[in-house]
Amino acid sequence: MTDDKDVLRDVWFGRIPACFTLYQDEITKREAEPYYLLLPRVSYLTLVTDKVKKHFQKVMRQEDISEIWFEYEGTPLKWHYPIGLLFDLLASSSALPWNITVHFKSFPEKDLLHCPSKDVIEAHFMSCMKEADALKHKSQVINEMQKKDHKQLWMGLQNDRFDQFWAINRKLMEYPAEENGFRYIPFRIYQTTTERPFIQKLFRPVAADGQLHTLGDLLKEVCPSAVAPEGSRNQTWVSSMADKNSATEPPLHHLPYSFHLFWWIQTYCKWDLLIRLYKLRCDPPHSRCILIPLQESYIRR
């Protein structure tokens, strides 16, 4: 595993300032003031918004309160997507703080999964961990862990405890020297303009000739439109967020197509061990798609 613990900490402690406002049609006993919160990019909305829920329930009648859900500009926010992923998909070009609307009725059954308790979030979280380890280690590492190790992973995420989480997570980032790396790179490329929410397929970190695969190799294989023509000046994989005010947001890393995936997964792979990429848009023909790494991209300095 990488020794660059400072980078791992920066990834973990990435935050998004948000302003929560109660939906205008909710019935209240008095005016509901907005609630401001710094959201951890690596967590889930339903895991870190207990204070938001309590704040607005104080001004509502008990009979008008049902399951809480959130939306941004008319789009319901999927609680099972990491917060950083939601922000990058829907609001990356918006001014901060991120304005989120809070609802307590009219739950959008067709758009969202119900989240009745934190046990549901924990089950989803462990499912993601197991999926990634199946790709990397044939599930051997996660299956050899004890139940208390799984619980420590979850409690580290739930309580925002970096050291508690990484004391166990580091085992999932290691591999035997004789195997020369992981079996497959766990990744997803998220899209906003198609009915297919993300692209995911098997991709090995090392080529048949022993050469380490790069970011460019991955994109050529699974998303050819994201790769600039040979010799183009656009040979760097960047985020459109790079043009935003660096005083209000952490700067982004600009990654060349030649960037080795193996180091990236060890350093920037998020807590569920999945590299998450985001396909924002395609530039004019013969150019490239702009991509940004989710969760891992916001590095505070």
Side-chain angles (χ1 to χ4, degrees), residues 247-262:
T248 58
E249 296 192 34
L252 303 179
H253 281 200
H254 292 214
L255 304 180
Y257 290 140
S258 59
F259 199 79
H260 285 150
L261 287 173
F262 192 71

Side-chain angles (χ1 to χ4, degrees), residues 115-272:
C115 184
S117 70
K118 291 184 179 179
D119 290 339
V120 176
I121 311 174
E122 181 180 2
H124 170 71
F125 163 75
M126 288 308 305
S127 176
C128 291
M129 298 289 286
K130 292 176 181 179
E131 176 189 356
D133 195 56
L135 292 170
K136 293 169 60 179
H137 302 116
K138 298 182 181 180
S139 299
Q140 293 175 354
V141 177
I142 196 82
N143 289 340
E144 289 174 0
M145 288 182 176
Q146 299 180 28
K147 187 175 181 179
K148 65 180 182 65
D149 296 327
H150 292 180
K151 181 59 68 172
Q152 181 170 334
L153 282 169
W154 165 245
M155 294 305 294
L157 176 69
Q158 177 176 277
N159 299 325
D160 197 21
R161 300 291 178 82
F162 172 84
D163 291 326
Q164 180 182 18
F165 180 86
W166 272 97
I168 302 300
N169 192 57
R170 63 178 179 79
K171 301 175 183 178
L172 294 163
M173 305 303 291
E174 297 171 345
Y175 58 90
E178 62 273 14
E179 293 186 7
N180 196 32
F182 305 125
R183 293 176 63 241
Y184 298 104
I185 296 290
F187 76 94
R188 288 177 183 171
I189 297 179
Y190 285 81
Q191 306 178 101
T192 58
T193 56
T194 68
E195 295 181 358
R196 186 179 180 185
F198 59 81
I199 301 171
Q200 185 174 14
K201 64 182 297 185
L202 297 178
F203 190 84
R204 293 188 181 276
V206 182
D209 60 3
Q211 295 294 313
L212 292 177
H213 273 143
T214 65
L215 176 61
D217 295 329
L218 171 66
L219 296 179
K220 287 176 184 177
E221 175 72 21
V222 303
C223 191
S225 61
V227 182
E230 197 70 31
S232 168
R233 292 182 301 173
N234 293 325
Q235 287 294 320
T236 302
W237 185 64
V238 300
S239 164
S240 61
M241 296 285 288
D243 295 330
K244 300 190 77 174
N245 188 348
S246 60
T248 58
E249 296 192 34
L252 303 179
H253 281 200
H254 292 214
L255 304 180
Y257 290 140
S258 59
F259 199 79
H260 285 150
L261 287 173
F262 192 71
W263 183 87
W264 191 29
I265 191 175
Q266 286 187 297
T267 308
Y268 289 97
C269 198
K270 64 184 292 298
W271 45 256
D272 63 8

Side-chain angles (χ1 to χ4, degrees), residues 284-296:
H286 309 300
S287 186
R288 56 178 169 76
C289 289
I290 296 178
L291 307 172
I292 61 177
L294 298 181
Q295 306 301 120
E296 304 78 19

